[in-house]
Amino acid sequence: LRLYHWSFCFFSQRGMGRSEPTFVVDECMKETHDPELLTLQVNYLDEQSVRTASRIYKQRNLECWARKDFLLNSTARDGTTKSYHFLQYSGTRQLAEDIERVRRLVGDQKLSVYGISY
């Protein structure tokens, strides 16, 4: 009989859950699908439908990008300030980098991950 020791660490991707800033704002959550059917409101066989959906997605993304609270500033020890946009640092790659930093901090050589797609 083998007994394993498990430690659990839960991650909430930047912008999700309780983190701030958050993606859960009107500008970033504009409906682009049928909420009852959970299907996209686009007919990929119809060019006009695809163009209309593309305009909706583009407008949603531009409005989301334009949120003032997504423009963040960081001040270094030497007093210099760097500005950056939250959405440039909140993707899947950054989540994987965050998890890797935690793995290194706890000193494990490898980590088992169970993830749920967003």
Side-chain angles (χ1 to χ4, degrees), residues 3-4 20 32 53 59 62 78 81-82 89 99 101 103-104 106-107 112 114:
L3 297 178
Y4 294 95
E20 292 287 333
T32 55
Q59 185 61 36
L62 290 172
D78 65 2
T81 301
K82 178 183 176 186
Y89 298 92
I99 292 171
R101 284 185 194 95
R103 183 200 62 78
R104 288 181 183 179
V106 298
S112 296
Y114 171 77

Side-chain angles (χ1 to χ4, degrees), residues 19-32:
S19 65
E20 292 287 333
T22 179
F23 293 125
V24 187
V25 292
D26 290 341
E27 294 87 345
C28 301
M29 302 299 290
K30 187 180 288 183
E31 292 289 338
T32 55

Side-chain angles (χ1 to χ4, degrees), residues 3 8 10 12 16-18 25 29 33 47 49-50 53 62-63 69-71 82 84-85 104-105 108 110-112 117:
L3 297 178
F8 291 90
F10 297 88
S12 176
M16 306 301 251
R18 296 180 180 161
V25 292
M29 302 299 290
H33 65 279
E47 181 179 348
S49 179
V50 172
L62 290 172
E63 289 174 9
D69 54 335
F70 286 171
L71 184 58
K82 178 183 176 186
Y84 59 98
H85 198 282
R104 288 181 183 179
L105 284 170
D108 285 341
K110 66 180 188 174
L111 185 68
S112 296
S117 177

Side-chain angles (χ1 to χ4, degrees), residues 9-97:
C9 181
F10 297 88
F11 291 88
S12 176
Q13 181 177 348
R14 300 173 190 183
M16 306 301 251
R18 296 180 180 161
S19 65
E20 292 287 333
T22 179
F23 293 125
V24 187
V25 292
D26 290 341
E27 294 87 345
C28 301
M29 302 299 290
K30 187 180 288 183
E31 292 289 338
T32 55
H33 65 279
D34 183 324
E36 290 183 20
L37 300 176
L38 296 177
T39 58
L40 295 176
Q41 296 173 336
V42 57
N43 175 357
Y44 290 105
L45 301 176
D46 177 57
E47 181 179 348
Q48 188 56 43
S49 179
V50 172
R51 289 181 182 277
T52 299
S54 295
R55 279 193 293 276
I56 291 169
Y57 298 149
K58 181 179 180 180
Q59 185 61 36
R60 178 199 58 196
N61 294 344
L62 290 172
E63 289 174 9
C64 183
W65 184 268
R67 283 190 60 87
K68 299 279 187 232
D69 54 335
F70 286 171
L71 184 58
L72 305 173
N73 295 305
S74 176
T75 304
R77 289 186 179 129
D78 65 2
T80 59
T81 301
K82 178 183 176 186
S83 295
Y84 59 98
H85 198 282
F86 167 69
L87 295 178
Q88 290 178 298
Y89 298 92
S90 57
T92 303
R93 187 184 86 218
Q94 288 79 18
L95 174 61
E97 290 169 352

